[in-house]
Amino acid sequence: MSESRAFCPRCGDAVPERSASDANDPLRPGAEVELCDSCYFEDFDFVDAPDRIDVRVCSRCGAVYRGNRWVDVGAEDYTDIAIEEVSQALAVHVDVEDVAWQIDPEQVDQNTIRMHCYFTGVVRGTPVDEQVTVPVKIARQTCTRCGRIAGDYYASIVQIRAEDRTPTSDEMDRAKEIANQTVADMEATGDRNAFVTEVGETDDGLNIKVSTNKIGKKISNKMIEEFGGTVNDAETLVTEDEDGNEVYRVTFAVRLPPYTPGDIIDLAEDDGGPVLVRSARGNLKGIRVTTGERYEASYEEGNSPEARKLGELEDATEATVVTVEDDNAVQVLDPETFQAKTVARPDYFDPEAETVPVLKSRAGLHILPDERDD
Ligand SMILES: [Zn+2]
Ligand SMILES: [Zn+2]
């Protein structure tokens, strides 16, 4: 093969022998027979650019319509978007090496940016350059998501409620956090349909309206995973979509357990002494404030054994320790009457302590664990 001469197939001029690697270049399948330089450059087109580019941009969130859907491009302004779209639309001839280019945007009017693009490169050892100007027309629209948000669209409601009480502010704050985090996580995976429509407090809890059933389910499952309790879902037929399919809205009713960690409760038909609740996930668990022993409700009682609430850890007041009587009893000053009183000595009681947190309730005076931050 190295002996053969090559000729330009168009004009018949002799052309230099090509190397084997060039002939096998998969990017140049039509190049088995090579044109001479002058025929080659006659047809050479450095940059392939459209006459103009139309871009649909959401004026609310900056998303750009591409193919058949809205995508977030993370652009700061319309010029950024125009540069991005031009970069996508321009094509450079595959033969050119060392391609460099720059764009000089010229704002023509509010919705038109003229993009002056300068290209340089090297092909067949010859430097080439080209300038193209592409007008980018911006159409300001509202994307599907922003349209839905503006229209208060929602597909699912999560109701945060609690048994025999209203949810605490911690529980409600956490529910809002979980809702926002769930949406943020889904957005991070490119899901544009995830949003919280509305968060509203009611007399008995919190209602969170969200854009999809999946989000509602995630929020409610996370809530009971953290706080215990149950969730029930119910579908309501709201409408039919354009194709005649029935559209359901799902309500997730989260019911948090009646007692929360930190509650001190008095169990019915039980004389082991009040219990400080430690967990309400699964069966209620805690410790006896009389002895410090562990308590766990039976499977049948679950997280709601029959009991009455006496108070919370936060309600504790300081009482002065008068004397340690024995392994089971301590004398402290009643914080209200300042009279010495003998109370049960739980195993968490520190015999060195001068004062201890106590709860005075209908069930009497009890020493609580000292859990204050120093
Ligand atoms: Zn030729
Ligand atoms: Zn939008």
Side-chain angles (χ1 to χ4, degrees):
M1 295 293 283
S2 61
E3 290 302 305
S4 67
R5 295 289 311 265
F7 299 96
C8 171
R10 186 174 298 170
C11 69
D13 279 2
V15 293
E17 202 63 41
R18 303 181 63 224
S19 70
S21 63
D22 264 6
N24 291 329
D25 188 343
L27 290 174
R28 301 164 64 190
E32 304 91 10
V33 188
E34 191 116 314
L35 296 174
C36 72
D37 280 357
S38 72
C39 290
Y40 178 86
F41 280 109
E42 219 165 82
D43 287 349
F44 177 74
D45 202 359
F46 184 3
V47 179
D48 187 17
D51 294 338
R52 64 177 252 176
I53 296 172
D54 290 292
V55 198
R56 293 163 63 185
V57 180
C58 174
S59 56
R60 290 163 182 261
C61 70
V64 171
Y65 196 81
R66 265 188 207 150
N68 59 354
R69 62 196 194 95
W70 291 94
V71 289
D72 291 309
V73 293
E76 295 279 306
D77 54 30
Y78 291 128
T79 305
D80 263 8
I81 291 170
I83 291 172
E84 172 76 23
E85 294 303 300
V86 167
S87 312
Q88 301 259 330
L90 295 179
V92 171
H93 197 288
V94 294
D95 289 352
V96 186
E97 294 170 329
D98 298 331
V99 176
W101 66 301
Q102 63 185 67
I103 296 184
D104 186 8
E106 176 200 353
Q107 190 88 38
V108 178
D109 60 42
Q110 213 199 354
N111 296 319
T112 310
I113 302 170
R114 202 177 280 150
M115 310 299 275
H116 303 285
C117 314
Y118 306 94
F119 287 84
T120 59
V122 177
V123 64
R124 291 196 170 200
T126 310
V128 286
D129 62 67
E130 188 167 343
Q131 178 185 342
V132 293
T133 297
V134 185
V136 176
K137 292 274 187 189
I138 307 246
R140 289 159 204 257
Q141 301 186 336
T142 301
C143 75
T144 321
R145 175 180 62 183
C146 291
R148 285 180 166 183
I149 293 172
D152 288 332
Y153 170 93
Y154 65 98
S156 180
I157 308 181
V158 181
Q159 296 177 334
I160 308 291
R161 302 287 185 272
E163 202 175 321
D164 300 328
R165 64 182 177 94
T166 52
T168 64
S169 53
D170 277 356
E171 288 167 336
M172 295 206 278
D173 288 348
R174 185 65 191 131
K176 292 173 199 169
E177 262 174 40
I178 290 173
N180 291 328
Q181 189 57 51
T182 303
V183 165
D185 289 348
M186 293 172 83
E187 275 180 341
T189 68
D191 188 337
R192 298 200 82 247
N193 291 320
F195 56 87
V196 176
T197 310
E198 188 187 281
V199 177
E201 290 190 14
T202 66
D203 285 346
D204 51 356
L206 195 69
N207 286 351
I208 305 172
K209 294 180 181 171
V210 293
S211 58
T212 70
N213 291 333
K214 194 171 152 191
I215 303 171
K217 190 180 186 121
K218 282 189 175 191
I219 297 170
S220 40
N221 285 344
K222 186 94 177 108
M223 279 303 283
I224 60 169
E225 187 187 312
E226 284 188 21
F227 295 102
T230 56
V231 57
N232 285 303
D233 52 85
E235 287 186 337
T236 331
L237 179 65
V238 280
T239 182
E240 286 184 359
D241 67 13
E242 308 89 63
D243 304 325
N245 299 314
E246 295 175 330
V247 176
Y248 289 89
R249 189 171 279 164
V250 181
T251 300
F252 294 92
V254 174
R255 206 165 170 75
L256 299 172
Y259 306 111
T260 63
D263 283 353
I264 293 110
I265 60 172
D266 196 15
L267 298 156
E269 292 167 35
D270 171 292
D271 39 20
V275 168
L276 166 61
V277 177
R278 289 303 199 190
S279 164
R281 287 181 297 173
N283 299 351
L284 185 114
K285 297 171 199 70
I287 51 169
R288 300 280 186 181
V289 295
T290 44
T291 59
E293 282 170 8
R294 276 179 48 84
Y295 163 81
E296 181 169 347
S298 68
Y299 177 78
E300 291 74 32
E301 292 168 319
N303 60 26
S304 54
E306 205 179 314
R308 57 179 185 161
K309 181 171 162 177
L310 300 174
E312 298 172 13
L313 261 186
E314 287 179 4
D315 303 331
T317 50
E318 284 302 300
T320 303
V321 178
V322 181
T323 178
V324 179
E325 292 185 354
D326 57 33
D327 285 351
N328 301 315
V330 183
Q331 223 178 72
V332 297
L333 287 187
D334 183 310
E336 285 172 11
T337 64
F338 296 103
Q339 287 180 329
K341 234 179 208 171
T342 299
V343 299
R345 173 183 170 174
D347 60 9
Y348 50 76
F349 169 77
D350 173 9
E352 306 291 313
E354 290 173 8
T355 65
V356 285
V358 297
L359 180 74
K360 192 174 181 183
S361 70
R362 290 169 292 189
L365 200 57
H366 291 97
I367 298 176
L368 301 181
D370 194 348
E371 288 172 3
R372 294 160 299 181
D373 300 321
D374 292 317

